[in-house]
Amino acid sequence: MWEKEFNLTDRNSFGFNVKAENYAAITQIDTLESALADIAENNWPLLVLGGGSNLVLRQYIPGAVISIANMGIKVLADDEDLAIVEVGAGENWHHFIGHLLEMGLHGLENLALIPGNVGAAPVQNIGAYGVELADCFHSLTAYDRQTQSLVQLSLDECDFGYRDSIFKSAEQGRYIIWNVRFKLSSVFVPRLGYKALADYVLGKDNAPPTAHDVYKAVCDIRSSKLPVPTEIGNAGSFFENPVVAEKQYFELKDKYPNLVGHKDSAGLYKLAAGWLIDQAGWKGYVHAGVGVYDKQALVLVNRGKGTVDELTELSEMIFDSVKQKFGISLCIEPRFYPA
Ligand SMILES: Cc1cc2nc3c(=O)[nH]c(=O)nc-3n(C[C@H](O)[C@H](O)[C@H](O)COP(=O)(O)OP(=O)(O)OC[C@H]3O[C@@H](n4cnc5c(N)ncnc54)[C@H](O)[C@@H]3O)c2cc1C
């Protein structure tokens, strides 16, 4: 089952030169169980790898890397205007969204073109253009390494937050997500709270937008702003958008009237990390083999021969300067592995 010294260079979206000591692609639960038995017997650390688009992988990954390749998209229940759809963790997220569009099932259009696999999507509760996975999530099936059994987890049990869930925080490493269920509607209700999306969709003509219009708009906007990882290595947003107290928001707004942010929940405001980094002068900055993307300051890129050390140096310089200018501590979004 194990492939030794497996090359992961084209399996991480930064395109860093990475090797795994032992690698296996898993399509069946019994193979997963024997892989986990080997891992326990050899006392290997384990990385579950999806599309590698939210990871910063160091040069050598000791122990085991497994990729969950459970495929398939099934409609489990189809009421008048509500359907429950189950999808394998190994399916590509964007292909899944395209498939839903063809089936006439709606709710996730705003999350088109996010790279990666379905199994990783709940880990950080992926979100974009005013929608997040949790909005349409029903439940998931995961292998629980603690009880050594398959379990079903509900929306509440996953404890989703902004780019967060139990899989990223309290229970990191415990669950291996096998498939995910979404509740979707056959009635399309556009979610246009995000201004750039609304301007793009509504600017064209006065007809109400279709699901296809929104899907296409999201793909067009993303393609114009974000680098394609196969061309320029990156992991999307490198920092999370910081959430600050109302008082701090208005103090900053007084000092910087163009500050970009919006009300989040009671007494809290979410700021655009990209704006803060841009204002601190980093857009387009080059540091050895890595840099800050020139069209979007929130995205750090591998310019070809960059290293994880250079990326760490650059992110520390950005962190320090944003802290000094705005008094805000940025949090890194992708996971560094090994930590
Ligand atoms: C250009 C670009 C744009 C992006 N835009 C967005 C965006 O708009 N919104 C957003 O939220 N994210 C965005 N991302 C980040 C990324 O695409 C998402 O986080 C995505 O869900 C990661 O999927 P993946 O399969 O690549 O996960 P990986 O990077 O392989 O893994 C991410 C984490 O999930 C864990 N994991 C993976 N599979 C499983 C599993 N089956 N069971 C348990 N744990 C698992 C891994 O161990 C790791 O901790 C972007 C990234 C890029 C490169």
Side-chain angles (χ1 to χ4, degrees):
M1 159 189 347
W2 298 105
E3 296 186 59
K4 302 277 175 197
E5 305 297 318
F6 187 82
N7 193 319
L8 293 177
T9 305
D10 60 3
R11 298 292 304 274
N12 73 100
S13 63
F14 263 113
F16 289 132
N17 196 351
V18 178
K19 251 187 199 156
E21 188 180 1
N22 299 283
Y23 171 86
I26 309 278
T27 55
Q28 305 289 334
I29 285 292
D30 53 358
T31 329
L32 175 63
E33 285 175 330
S34 32
L36 291 171
D38 287 349
I39 287 165
E41 194 183 311
N42 292 292
N43 204 14
W44 285 335
L46 168 64
L47 172 69
V48 183
L49 179 69
S53 65
N54 210 22
L55 283 165
V56 179
L57 297 182
R58 300 186 195 277
Q59 215 170 3
Y60 193 69
I61 313 285
V65 174
I66 61 170
S67 158
I68 303 301
N70 175 35
M71 310 303 277
I73 301 174
K74 283 193 284 211
V75 178
L76 296 187
D78 200 351
D79 225 342
E80 229 166 64
D81 57 7
L82 199 78
I84 307 290
V85 176
E86 180 175 275
V87 52
E91 291 285 346
N92 173 275
W93 176 263
H94 179 64
H95 291 168
F96 170 56
I97 301 298
H99 199 81
L100 292 179
L101 198 64
E102 280 168 21
M103 293 198 291
L105 293 173
H106 306 298
L108 292 170
E109 292 78 4
N110 295 34
L111 304 186
L113 220 58
I114 296 182
N117 293 354
V118 166
V123 173
Q124 74 151 0
N125 181 24
I126 56 169
Y129 302 100
V131 172
E132 53 184 25
L133 168 134
D135 297 339
C136 294
F137 180 87
H138 178 274
S139 58
L140 60 74
T141 303
Y143 189 86
D144 180 354
R145 296 179 69 198
Q146 201 165 303
T147 60
Q148 301 185 353
S149 60
L150 280 179
V151 293
Q152 316 284 320
L153 298 176
S154 67
L155 178 71
D156 284 349
E157 286 167 318
C158 294
D159 198 19
F160 293 118
Y162 167 62
R163 299 293 182 275
D164 199 22
S165 71
I166 54 164
F167 313 107
K168 194 172 174 182
S169 310
E171 301 289 359
Q172 193 183 58
R174 175 170 173 182
Y175 296 105
I176 298 172
I177 297 169
W178 191 250
N179 57 42
V180 187
R181 287 170 290 280
F182 293 94
K183 48 179 192 315
L184 300 153
S185 173
S186 57
V187 179
F188 175 62
V189 180
R191 302 275 300 272
L192 301 177
Y194 190 90
K195 191 173 175 309
L197 182 60
D199 290 350
Y200 191 99
V201 175
L202 301 172
K204 289 207 288 194
D205 52 48
N206 288 327
T210 63
H212 192 268
D213 291 338
V214 172
Y215 169 87
K216 184 166 180 313
V218 169
C219 294
D220 288 352
I221 298 172
R222 291 184 71 96
S223 305
S224 70
K225 283 208 304 205
L226 293 169
V228 179
T230 46
E231 290 163 16
I232 305 176
N234 77 94
S237 307
F238 194 83
F239 296 99
E240 292 175 359
N241 289 324
V243 176
V244 299
E246 188 168 1
K247 182 169 174 287
Q248 188 179 10
Y249 173 78
F250 282 107
E251 281 167 7
L252 283 167
K253 191 86 184 158
D254 269 354
K255 206 163 162 197
Y256 305 99
N258 295 331
L259 179 75
V260 179
H262 60 85
K263 200 165 175 117
D264 187 45
S265 45
L268 295 174
Y269 280 73
K270 194 179 277 174
L271 304 179
W275 186 88
L276 300 171
I277 297 166
D278 191 3
Q279 294 302 304
W282 291 99
K283 198 188 258 181
Y285 187 88
V286 169
H287 174 69
V290 298
V292 180
Y293 191 50
D294 54 6
K295 290 189 204 154
Q296 166 57 274
L298 193 50
V299 178
L300 303 195
V301 297
N302 176 5
R303 300 173 57 247
K305 293 205 161 78
T307 65
V308 175
D309 285 347
E310 289 164 1
L311 187 72
T312 305
E313 285 158 16
L314 177 60
S315 74
E316 283 171 0
M317 290 190 283
I318 294 172
F319 176 94
D320 290 345
S321 85
V322 168
K323 174 88 184 158
Q324 199 179 13
K325 188 170 169 81
F326 299 104
I328 286 173
S329 300
L330 293 174
C331 287
I332 291 177
E333 187 184 295
R335 174 182 174 198
F336 280 65
Y337 190 88

